Every structure is written in C-alpha cells, then in structure tokens.
C-alpha cells in the first residue's frame, strides 16, 4: 500500500515539476532512489497530505530555512537507514542533499531546494550506560536528532549531567560538531571535548564506523569542532558525570545599569579559573515594536551556590525581572528556549576580556538602534540582540591538542565571544541588515585589532555564513582536517554533494 501511494505521489510531482519550486528532475530522482532502496517508509512528499512533510519544513528555527521546500524529506529511524540512503544517493552525483539535526541553524544550511533533505529527527533517543568497570565514566548515548531538552531530562533521571548546550530546543548535533559552549565548560571545556565516541556513516560506501581514542582516532579528533566535513554522525556518546541542581537564571534590568553588569562580567571572566563552576552571559536587547531597551545577565553556578562571590558586584542591581533560582540544568535550558520564526542575521567575533572593546560594541549597538528608530523600521525589525559570553583561556586547556579548534595555541588571553543578532521579519529587511551587521562586525573587529585586543578564534555555531570559522583554527589543524576528509570521504561527497555548512575544501 505504501509503495502504491509513493508511485502516485511521485507521478504527481513529475507532472507538477516545472511549476513547483520544490521539485526538479534531480531531486525527484534522488527521492525515487531512496524508495527503490526499500526506504519508502521514511520518505515525506509535499503532495501527500498529513505525512509530516510540511510539519518537518515548518519546524525549522529560522524563517529562511522554513521557506525552502525540498523535493522530499527523508526521515531515517536508524543508522542503517542513513547508510542505505547514502549508498543509494552516492550513485546519483547530480542530486544534492541537506542534513538536518535539530534544525536550529540561523541560516539555511540544513535544508535544500530540488534535492533531498535528510531529517535526523527520529534519531532522538538517549540511553544512559552505567560503568561496569572501576574509574570508567557513565556514558550518555545521544541520537543525532536529539535536542538538549530531552537528552538532559534522561540523564538527570540517573543523578547525572552532560556538558550540554544551554538552550533546550538547540540540536545536539550542530552544537557539538561546532565545538559547543556549556554551563559546565569551566570544568569540562567545550561540549565536543566530552564526546567519548561518535557513530558515523561514511560516503560513498555507507559504512558505519565508530570514532574514538582507539578506533579511527584521526576522525575522532577532526569531528571535535570540524563540522559536517567527514560523515554523518548518527550518535554521540558523551561522558556523563554526577551533578545535582544548579543555581541560575536570567535577570533583566534597565539600560542604565549596563556598566554595573559589564564590570561584573569582566571581573568574572578574569577570575573564572579560580571559580570554574561560575559563568555569566550578558545580553543587550532592543524590542523594536515597543522601543524598549534592556540589559540582562544570566549568572549560573553549577554547584547550586546562590551566593558565589563571582556575582557580588551585581548584588545592588534593581532587577525588573529575576528568574534566578535553584533548578535543574534541563529546567534552566527550557527557560532560555525561543520558538524562532524570524530571519536571523548573526555575526560573531572573539576578543580579549577588555572593557574598551565591549564599550565599542555598545556604541555600535546604540547606533544600530538609532538607525532603526530614525528609519521607522519597526514593522520589519523584531529584535536587536548583542550577547557577550565568557571564553577564559583555561577552557582551551581542558583537552589540549584533542580537538581541531586551535585554541590551545591561539587563546593566550582571557577572551569574550560576541554575538550580534538582527532578527527581522521580511526578506527586504534581511538584505538590509545583512549589510549593516557585516559592517558592524568589521568595525568592531578592526577596533579590537587597533588596540591589540583581537582574538583569532571564531565560534562556528555563531558566525554568519559569510565568515570563515575554520580558517581561524590555524594552518596545522586545517591541513589535518583536509587529510582526514580525503581519507574518510575520498570522493568529496560532503564537500560537493552536501552544500550546507562550512567546508574544509573552501579554506585556502
């Protein structure tokens, strides 16, 4: 019955192909190849009402990704399904493919028109394996389609935690492959540093391999920050660890108190090596519709200490909203989630923990806000957001030489990750603010360089598609990644057939 329905749906697509943006002959051939390989149960077509195609497409975080309509969506249930799909699609070199984990990318690199989008959302199980030998850590085996909310809830049942992302609806796969920052980073480094094993499907063979310290160790290292350049990761095995509730939450105050918040933040970064359980995120937010301007702080202590001395400088701040409390990591992550639905113009830089650079960023934020107000852009703009996050140099020493980020050599001073966001509602505003944000990023970077406060590294998960994070990893790591890509992907499948993401082959 299912095969009959697919034949009818394919016939409808073939007839409508010239008039349908989602469908062309190349993508249609890819979808048919999957059906011929016995994978028809996982194929979602736009012409079949109620089969989940539209729900999959509409569930992306960014509006730009939601607007792209693939010829079909393929939803594998197992790594073996991914393997069979890769073998089938490898035989059709003209068919393009997108791979989606949680779908939280802010630019459309995980969906594709006239092609096959592989949605890993059904690979969403988390299994906890308790140690059977002394000194071995518990392992949380997390499917590549998982989001952090579900993964955290499962491990917390065992009194454990993992080096997780901080927003519940962010995908595990994208954040981890791009390095990953966590509330636990002060003690455990980047999220990728806590992966003990990757289950990976290679192309064009569809071979399923494990990558860990003993098996395929070069691939193991390359996946720690290397993105989707080497294969499709279907499972992440994280080292888990005992953890209770933490203390933290977001507190918001008026713009007048930003210097108090920032002084506290700069101090925290400078003393963080002595207080690794503490972290703080600072957020500027301008709501265009109401023209409200606020500054927020998200202090967190992973030991559950509500009175850490790291946060003392903010004690007298009169908060307008304060959600800080003792809570689980999963509850805190849930409180930081948002549903998406805008066009997102994100740019990111790193610079030294220097208040002068933050002040420059503040000046640029206020300038952009003024441009929105003078131009009466409220109908097109949702929010302007600046985010400052800590990147103390001791983070880089948790796994020196064990990842490809290069920070063990380049992060010589305590630093800050800056993320600038323009969240807009229309395609016209998207084009305008892509240009504005690019210029702001360039000006801020130039200022940091001019006062000797620049930092080389760029965080893959935050940068704009026009920025080049892999280039910041350093020549040695770039050369290593190219060798690993040539070894495990000899035909360049993930360089040419899967256009999304940052490609090691594009780095010169």
């Amino acid at each position: 019955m299912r095969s009959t329905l697919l034949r009818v749906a394919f016939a409808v697509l073939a007839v409508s192909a010239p008039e349908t943006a989602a469908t062309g002959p190349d993508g249609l051939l890819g979808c048919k190849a999957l059906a011929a390989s016995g994978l028809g149960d996982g194929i979602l077509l736009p012409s079949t009402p109620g089969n989940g195609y539209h729900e999959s497409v509409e569930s992306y975080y960014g509006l730009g990704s939601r607007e792209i309509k693939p010829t079909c969506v393929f939803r594998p249930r197992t790594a073996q399904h991914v393997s069979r799909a890769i073998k089938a699609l490898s035989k059709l070199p003209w068919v393009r493919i997108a791979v989606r984990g949680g779908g939280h990318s802010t630019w459309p690199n995980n969906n594709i028109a006239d092609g096959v989008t592989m949605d890993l959302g059904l690979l969403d199980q988390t299994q906890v394996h308790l140690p059977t030998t002394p000194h071995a850590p518990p392992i949380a085996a997390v499917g590549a389609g998982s989001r952090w909310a579900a993964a955290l809830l499962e491990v917390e049942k065992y009194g454990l935690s993992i080096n997780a992302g901080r927003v519940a609806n962010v995908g595990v796969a994208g954040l981890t492959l791009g390095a990953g920052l966590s509330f636990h980073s002060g003690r455990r480094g980047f999220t990728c540093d806590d992966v003990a094993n990757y289950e990976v499907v290679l192309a064009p063979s569809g071979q399923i391999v494990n990558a860990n310290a003993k098996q395929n160790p070069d691939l193991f290292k390359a996946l720690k920050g290397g993105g989707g350049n080497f294969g499709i990761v279907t499972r992440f095995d994280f080292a888990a660890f005992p953890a209770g509730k933490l203390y933290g939450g977001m507190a918001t105050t008026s713009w007048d108190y930003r210097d108090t918040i920032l002084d506290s933040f700069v101090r925290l970064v400078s003393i963080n090596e002595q207080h690794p359980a503490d972290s703080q995120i600072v957020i500027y937010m301008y709501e265009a519709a109401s023209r409200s301007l606020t500054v927020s702080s998200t202090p967190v202590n992973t030991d559950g200490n509500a009175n850490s001395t790291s946060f003392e400088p903010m004690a007298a701040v009169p908060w307008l909203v304060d959600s800080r409390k003792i809570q689980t990591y999963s509850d805190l992550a849930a409180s930081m989630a948002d549903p998406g639905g805008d066009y997102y113009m994100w740019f990111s830089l790193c610079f030294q923990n220097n208040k002068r650079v933050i002040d420059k960023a503040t000046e640029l934020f206020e300038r952009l806000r003024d441009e929105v107000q003078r131009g009466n852009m409220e109908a097109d703009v949702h929010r302007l957001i600046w985010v400052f996050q800590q990147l103390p140099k001791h983070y880089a020493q948790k796994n020196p030489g064990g990842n490809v980020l290069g920070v063990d050599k380049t992060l010589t001073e305590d630093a800050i990750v800056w993320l600038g966001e323009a969240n807009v509602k229309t395609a016209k505003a998207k084009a305008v603010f892509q240009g504005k944000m690019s210029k702001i990023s360039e000006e801020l970077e130039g200022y940091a360089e001019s006062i000797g406060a620049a930092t080389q590294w760029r965080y893959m998960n935050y940068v704009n598609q026009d920025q080049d994070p892999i280039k910041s990893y350093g020549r040695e790591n770039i050369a290593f990644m190219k060798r690993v890509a040539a070894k495990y992907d000899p035909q360049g499948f993930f360089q040419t057939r899967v256009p999304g993401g940052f490609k090691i082959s594009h780095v010169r």
Side-chain angles (χ1 to χ4, degrees):
M1 180 65 175
R2 172 69 177 172
S3 60
T4 300
L5 290 173
L6 279 175
R7 285 197 297 271
V8 172
F10 283 138
V12 172
L13 279 177
V15 170
S16 63
E19 302 174 1
T20 306
T23 307
D26 293 346
L28 188 58
L29 288 172
C31 301
K32 287 183 174 180
L34 294 175
S37 298
L39 298 169
D41 285 347
I43 298 173
L44 311 180
L45 296 167
S47 57
T48 307
N51 71 352
Y53 174 94
H54 297 288
E55 289 81 356
S56 174
V57 172
E58 290 300 318
S59 67
Y60 281 95
Y61 179 72
L63 183 56
S65 294
R66 295 181 189 181
E67 291 177 336
I68 295 172
K69 304 299 187 285
T71 307
C72 67
V73 174
F74 173 59
R75 302 195 81 190
R77 292 183 178 274
T78 66
Q80 288 71 27
H81 288 171
V82 177
S83 171
R84 287 160 60 187
I86 290 297
K87 284 189 280 189
L89 295 170
S90 292
K91 299 172 184 177
L92 303 172
W94 53 86
V95 177
R96 300 192 308 159
I97 302 145
V99 180
R100 170 185 176 167
H104 200 270
S105 176
T106 56
W107 52 283
N109 66 341
N110 50 9
N111 199 4
I112 198 159
D114 188 18
V116 177
T117 291
M118 190 180 300
D119 179 354
L120 303 179
L122 297 179
L123 304 179
D124 62 350
Q125 300 300 304
T126 296
Q127 294 183 325
V128 175
H129 304 286
L130 300 177
T132 57
T133 58
H135 309 299
I139 295 294
V142 183
S146 300
R147 301 185 186 190
W148 289 111
L152 284 163
L153 282 169
E154 184 63 24
V155 299
E156 286 170 358
K157 294 177 183 177
Y158 297 82
L160 302 171
S161 192
I162 52 179
N163 200 13
R166 296 168 297 196
V167 178
N169 59 334
V170 168
V172 170
L175 183 128
T176 306
L177 290 170
L181 289 168
S182 170
F183 291 126
H184 288 299
S185 288
R187 288 191 171 127
R188 307 192 68 90
F190 295 95
T191 300
C192 66
D193 292 330
D194 256 0
V195 179
N197 179 73
Y198 300 85
E199 180 184 75
V200 192
V201 179
L202 303 178
S205 67
Q207 181 183 6
I208 302 172
V209 302
N210 286 295
N212 51 56
K214 294 182 178 180
Q215 297 173 277
N216 305 304
D218 50 353
L219 179 60
F220 180 57
K221 176 179 176 178
L223 288 167
K224 290 179 180 288
N229 280 289
F230 314 103
I232 297 177
V233 177
T234 51
R235 193 187 73 237
F236 299 82
D237 294 343
F238 291 96
F241 48 90
K245 292 184 177 181
L246 49 73
Y247 167 78
M250 183 177 291
T252 301
T253 188
S254 70
W255 190 242
D256 294 339
Y257 290 92
R258 66 185 180 278
D259 281 328
T260 302
I261 304 300
L262 291 170
D263 289 342
S264 172
F265 175 67
V266 170
R267 174 181 174 270
L268 181 144
V269 176
S270 70
I271 64 173
N272 188 249
E273 189 168 8
Q274 291 76 47
H275 302 271
D278 294 327
S279 63
Q280 185 179 353
I281 302 170
V282 176
I283 302 172
Y284 297 169
M285 185 175 295
Y286 174 69
E287 294 277 1
S290 62
R291 295 197 169 191
S292 65
L293 182 61
T294 57
V295 58
S296 297
S297 173
T298 304
V300 173
N301 176 277
T302 53
D303 290 335
N305 179 7
N307 300 303
S308 171
T309 56
S310 295
F311 310 132
E312 283 181 353
M314 296 188 295
V317 172
W319 304 108
L320 302 173
V321 178
D322 188 355
S323 66
R324 294 174 296 172
K325 60 185 178 181
I326 302 294
Q327 58 186 317
T328 64
Y329 198 127
S330 60
D331 284 340
L332 177 57
S335 73
M336 298 181 70
D338 76 276
D342 289 331
Y343 295 105
Y344 296 96
M345 305 299 105
W346 283 25
F347 280 81
S348 183
L349 300 171
C350 295
F351 47 80
Q352 292 177 17
N353 185 33
N354 187 312
K355 180 65 160 44
R356 292 170 62 192
V357 186
I358 300 177
D359 288 342
K360 180 64 177 180
T362 304
E363 172 194 321
L364 295 170
F365 183 80
E366 292 178 321
R367 183 197 303 173
L368 185 61
R369 174 209 57 186
D370 292 344
E371 290 177 10
V372 170
Q373 291 182 349
R374 287 197 302 269
N376 295 314
M377 300 179 186
E378 287 82 2
D380 294 324
V381 177
H382 186 188
R383 294 187 180 110
L384 305 177
I385 300 174
W386 265 212
V387 183
F388 302 94
Q389 300 182 39
Q390 67 198 57
L391 187 66
K393 60 185 178 182
H394 75 93
Y395 280 18
Q397 301 308 316
K398 305 303 178 186
N399 188 22
N403 57 47
V404 293
L405 305 174
V407 289
D408 55 320
K409 295 182 179 179
T410 62
L411 191 62
T412 58
E413 302 289 340
D414 292 332
I416 292 168
V417 180
W418 167 78
L419 167 61
E421 305 180 31
N423 304 342
V424 302
K425 304 174 186 178
T426 65
K428 178 182 177 181
K430 172 186 172 183
V432 170
F433 280 87
Q434 173 71 13
K436 288 181 180 294
M437 292 298 296
S438 178
K439 290 179 180 178
I440 285 171
S441 178
E442 290 177 5
E443 186 172 347
L444 184 59
E445 182 175 21
Y447 179 78
E449 290 175 349
S450 73
I451 65 169
T455 296
Q456 177 175 318
W457 188 64
R458 298 290 177 266
Y459 184 29
M460 182 181 288
N461 295 332
Y462 286 173
V463 295
N464 189 267
Q465 64 195 73
D466 291 341
Q467 296 180 290
D468 186 358
I470 296 177
K471 187 177 180 180
S472 74
Y473 292 2
R475 291 183 180 180
E476 183 178 336
N477 284 317
I478 292 168
F480 171 77
M481 290 173 64
K482 288 186 175 184
R483 291 195 300 272
V484 174
K487 177 180 177 180
Y488 290 93
D489 182 17
Q491 295 185 10
F493 184 93
F494 294 101
Q495 302 303 309
T496 60
R497 300 287 306 284
V498 184
F502 296 100
K503 302 301 179 185
I504 184 61
S505 58
H506 295 172
V507 182
R508 297 290 180 259

